[in-house]
Short mmCIF file of all heavy atoms in Angstrom, two decimals:
data_model
loop_
_atom_site.label_atom_id
_atom_site.label_comp_id
_atom_site.label_asym_id
_atom_site.label_seq_id
_atom_site.Cartn_x
_atom_site.Cartn_y
_atom_site.Cartn_z
N PRO A 845 -29.32 0.54 2.75
CA PRO A 845 -28.53 0.73 1.53
C PRO A 845 -28.02 2.14 1.39
O PRO A 845 -27.02 2.38 0.73
CB PRO A 845 -29.52 0.38 0.42
CG PRO A 845 -30.87 0.61 1.02
CD PRO A 845 -30.72 0.24 2.47
N HIS A 846 -28.69 3.13 1.99
CA HIS A 846 -28.21 4.50 1.89
C HIS A 846 -26.94 4.69 2.69
O HIS A 846 -25.98 5.29 2.24
CB HIS A 846 -29.29 5.48 2.37
CG HIS A 846 -30.52 5.45 1.52
ND1 HIS A 846 -30.47 5.51 0.15
CD2 HIS A 846 -31.83 5.33 1.84
CE1 HIS A 846 -31.71 5.47 -0.33
NE2 HIS A 846 -32.54 5.35 0.67
N ARG A 847 -26.93 4.16 3.89
CA ARG A 847 -25.74 4.32 4.73
C ARG A 847 -24.56 3.52 4.18
O ARG A 847 -23.41 3.85 4.45
CB ARG A 847 -26.03 3.89 6.16
CG ARG A 847 -26.98 4.81 6.90
CD ARG A 847 -27.14 4.36 8.35
NE ARG A 847 -25.87 4.37 9.05
CZ ARG A 847 -25.30 5.45 9.58
NH1 ARG A 847 -25.88 6.63 9.42
NH2 ARG A 847 -24.17 5.36 10.23
N ALA A 848 -24.83 2.51 3.39
CA ALA A 848 -23.75 1.69 2.85
C ALA A 848 -23.00 2.42 1.74
O ALA A 848 -21.90 2.05 1.39
CB ALA A 848 -24.30 0.38 2.31
N LEU A 849 -23.61 3.46 1.17
CA LEU A 849 -22.95 4.19 0.08
C LEU A 849 -21.80 5.04 0.59
O LEU A 849 -20.70 5.00 0.06
CB LEU A 849 -23.97 5.09 -0.63
CG LEU A 849 -24.91 4.40 -1.61
CD1 LEU A 849 -25.97 5.39 -2.05
CD2 LEU A 849 -24.16 3.87 -2.81
N PHE A 850 -22.07 5.83 1.59
CA PHE A 850 -21.07 6.77 2.09
C PHE A 850 -20.95 6.66 3.60
O PHE A 850 -21.55 7.43 4.34
CB PHE A 850 -21.46 8.21 1.73
CG PHE A 850 -21.23 8.58 0.31
CD1 PHE A 850 -22.20 8.36 -0.63
CD2 PHE A 850 -20.03 9.12 -0.10
CE1 PHE A 850 -22.00 8.69 -1.95
CE2 PHE A 850 -19.81 9.44 -1.41
CZ PHE A 850 -20.79 9.22 -2.34
N VAL A 851 -20.22 5.69 4.09
CA VAL A 851 -20.03 5.48 5.52
C VAL A 851 -18.56 5.45 5.83
O VAL A 851 -17.78 4.82 5.11
CB VAL A 851 -20.71 4.18 6.00
CG1 VAL A 851 -20.56 4.03 7.50
CG2 VAL A 851 -22.18 4.19 5.61
N LEU A 852 -18.17 6.14 6.86
CA LEU A 852 -16.76 6.25 7.20
C LEU A 852 -16.20 4.91 7.63
O LEU A 852 -16.83 4.17 8.37
CB LEU A 852 -16.59 7.27 8.33
CG LEU A 852 -15.17 7.75 8.59
CD1 LEU A 852 -14.65 8.51 7.38
CD2 LEU A 852 -15.13 8.62 9.82
N ASN A 853 -15.02 4.59 7.18
CA ASN A 853 -14.36 3.32 7.51
C ASN A 853 -13.53 3.52 8.78
O ASN A 853 -12.36 3.86 8.73
CB ASN A 853 -13.49 2.87 6.35
CG ASN A 853 -12.89 1.51 6.60
OD1 ASN A 853 -13.30 0.81 7.51
ND2 ASN A 853 -11.92 1.14 5.78
N LEU A 854 -14.16 3.32 9.95
CA LEU A 854 -13.47 3.53 11.22
C LEU A 854 -12.58 2.34 11.53
O LEU A 854 -12.82 1.21 11.11
CB LEU A 854 -14.50 3.70 12.34
CG LEU A 854 -15.38 4.95 12.24
CD1 LEU A 854 -16.38 4.93 13.38
CD2 LEU A 854 -14.55 6.22 12.28
N LYS A 855 -11.53 2.57 12.29
CA LYS A 855 -10.64 1.49 12.72
C LYS A 855 -11.36 0.62 13.75
O LYS A 855 -12.27 1.05 14.45
CB LYS A 855 -9.36 2.07 13.33
CG LYS A 855 -8.58 2.95 12.37
CD LYS A 855 -8.09 2.16 11.18
CE LYS A 855 -7.23 3.03 10.27
NZ LYS A 855 -6.80 2.30 9.07
N ARG A 856 -10.90 -0.61 13.85
CA ARG A 856 -11.54 -1.53 14.79
C ARG A 856 -11.35 -1.06 16.23
O ARG A 856 -12.24 -1.17 17.05
CB ARG A 856 -10.98 -2.94 14.60
CG ARG A 856 -11.64 -3.98 15.48
CD ARG A 856 -11.11 -5.36 15.16
NE ARG A 856 -11.38 -5.72 13.79
CZ ARG A 856 -12.52 -6.26 13.39
NH1 ARG A 856 -13.50 -6.48 14.26
NH2 ARG A 856 -12.69 -6.58 12.12
N PHE A 857 -10.17 -0.53 16.54
CA PHE A 857 -9.91 -0.03 17.88
C PHE A 857 -9.93 1.49 17.85
O PHE A 857 -9.12 2.11 17.17
CB PHE A 857 -8.55 -0.53 18.39
CG PHE A 857 -8.49 -2.02 18.52
CD1 PHE A 857 -7.82 -2.77 17.56
CD2 PHE A 857 -9.11 -2.67 19.57
CE1 PHE A 857 -7.76 -4.15 17.66
CE2 PHE A 857 -9.05 -4.04 19.69
CZ PHE A 857 -8.38 -4.78 18.73
N HIS A 858 -10.86 2.06 18.57
CA HIS A 858 -11.05 3.50 18.55
C HIS A 858 -9.84 4.20 19.18
O HIS A 858 -9.44 3.86 20.30
CB HIS A 858 -12.32 3.85 19.33
CG HIS A 858 -12.89 5.16 18.93
ND1 HIS A 858 -12.25 6.35 19.15
CD2 HIS A 858 -14.05 5.47 18.29
CE1 HIS A 858 -12.99 7.33 18.71
NE2 HIS A 858 -14.09 6.82 18.18
#
Side-chain angles (χ1 to χ4, degrees):
H846 296 312
R847 291 184 60 81
L849 282 172
F850 284 88
V851 183
L852 194 64
N853 185 13
L854 295 177
K855 301 297 184 183
R856 183 176 299 275
F857 297 103
H858 203 294

